Amino acid sequence: MNRHLLSAADLTRDDALRVLDTAEELAQLSNRPIKKLPTLRGRTVVNLFFEDSTRTRISFEAAAKRLSADVINFSAKGSSVSKGESLKDTALTLEAMGADAVVVRHGSSGAPHRLAYSGWIRGSVLNAGDGTHEHPTQALLDAYTMRRHLGGSLDGRRITIVGDVLHSRVARSNVLLLATLGAEVSLVAPPTLLPVGVDGWPCEYTYDLDSALSKSDAVMMLRVQRERMKAAYFPSAREYSRRYGLDARRFGLLPEHAIVMHPGPMNRGMEIAAEVADSDRSVIVEQVTNGVSVRMAVLYLLLGGREPMEEGA
Ligand code: NCD
């Protein structure tokens, strides 16, 4: 595997399967009374968050701690970034503190690449979401969740991703990773919320949600990302919800075995009805649980992969 994880496209099929299999092994740990391994003892993981986050930040923190790493949490709010400090000077500060891995979330697409290849820091860089570009660990935890529910392999499985694809780093990383894993992906979105260049993505797209749902093994609803919208992309929230929301009627179009996913945070009542989000076919809370095992696997493989995964080492 590469030293950094910046894009889902960095992962070969073997790499991705190794992460998912390792995550499965590590998940067993959560059933033990002491949920900790010594694997990354003495290593320092910095969570560098320039954008708001609940799940991803907590998840990386839990993952690093369960592997016994020292964790430093940095959020731009309340730091010298608000005094105008640059990404470079922030990075040099982290390097001076001996960061072995930097988990970065940034509003600008490409910021993690800049960190990884600038020479400012020597450790591994993990992209925890950059602008509207990528979020590779989210795609890995989504694939992990699908594998658990859809019977092991994703080859030939039909996954439908619905909503604000234009602003979604989750969608792009999922399309890339799912294609690597052999799944067939369909995007459904209003034409205004599909990115230019989507024709070159390894997936199909359609504007007809009802017919896509009846053929899906999993449906992933995306949040309407109003904070990234600088124009009106649809007439009204009501209209969006009517055309592209997963309500109880549409939920009924899914095959019996299909699962409902959402990366969170959800706009309940907009892209997904509350009763669907809380139904027994929804795996939204489980996605969060799985995120910890998957991020442990990524940290383990990037930082400590050669050491035995055992207690008492
Ligand atoms: C996503 C993100 O931040 O890209 N959330 C997440 O990481 N779980 C999706 C979103 O914000 O809608």
Side-chain angles (χ1 to χ4, degrees), residues 1-7 10-11 15 100-102 112-113 115-119 121-127 136 298 302:
M1 251 172 89
N2 256 322
R3 183 155 61 94
H4 308 295
L5 179 58
L6 304 176
S7 158
D10 292 345
L11 299 166
D15 289 338
D100 295 293
V102 177
H113 294 71
L115 271 187
Y117 297 114
S118 58
I121 47 177
R122 273 170 294 181
S124 294
V125 176
L126 285 80
N127 182 359
V298 169
L302 291 185

Side-chain angles (χ1 to χ4, degrees), residues 55-56 105 135 138 169-170 223 225 263-265:
R55 274 154 283 266
T56 308
R105 168 167 289 197
H135 194 354
Q138 178 71 39
R169 49 206 181 197
V170 175
R223 183 172 67 88
Q225 303 200 15

Side-chain angles (χ1 to χ4, degrees), residues 72-213:
I72 298 174
N73 286 315
F74 171 102
S75 64
K77 271 187 207 131
S79 77
S80 290
V81 171
S82 47
K83 299 179 189 165
E85 187 160 38
S86 67
L87 183 61
K88 176 175 180 177
D89 288 323
T90 307
L92 293 175
T93 305
L94 301 179
E95 178 62 19
M97 291 184 185
D100 295 293
V102 177
V103 176
V104 59
R105 168 167 289 197
H106 201 286
S108 301
S109 303
H113 294 71
R114 186 85 177 104
L115 271 187
Y117 297 114
S118 58
W120 302 331
I121 47 177
R122 273 170 294 181
S124 294
V125 176
L126 285 80
N127 182 359
D130 62 328
T132 58
H133 182 227
E134 284 227 38
H135 194 354
T137 59
Q138 178 71 39
L140 284 163
L141 78 87
D142 290 335
Y144 178 94
T145 307
M146 289 175 211
R147 266 208 337 178
R148 287 187 80 132
H149 287 271
L150 304 178
S153 166
L154 295 183
D155 274 308
R157 293 298 187 167
R158 291 204 267 215
I159 316 298
T160 302
I161 302 179
V162 187
D164 185 0
V165 178
L166 179 66
H167 300 104
S168 178
R169 49 206 181 197
V170 175
R172 186 189 300 263
S173 287
N174 260 288
V175 167
L176 293 170
L177 183 69
L178 288 167
T180 302
L181 293 173
E184 288 169 25
V185 184
S186 286
L187 300 173
V188 185
T192 48
L193 289 176
L194 279 175
V196 175
V198 73
D199 296 293
W201 292 22
C203 63
E204 294 178 349
Y205 62 89
T206 164
Y207 310 120
D208 178 5
L209 180 53
D210 284 10
S211 68
L213 287 177

Side-chain angles (χ1 to χ4, degrees), residues 22-60:
T22 306
E24 242 157 66
E25 258 182 80
L26 289 165
Q28 323 257 332
L29 199 69
S30 351
N31 306 323
R32 298 199 208 158
I34 298 170
K35 303 180 180 23
K36 226 168 158 135
L37 290 175
T39 320
L40 297 186
R41 201 159 45 195
R43 307 294 193 91
T44 301
V45 174
V46 177
N47 281 328
L48 183 59
F49 278 66
F50 291 89
E51 243 193 21
D52 295 344
S53 171
T54 303
R55 274 154 283 266
T56 308
R57 195 181 57 73
I58 296 174
S59 181
F60 267 111

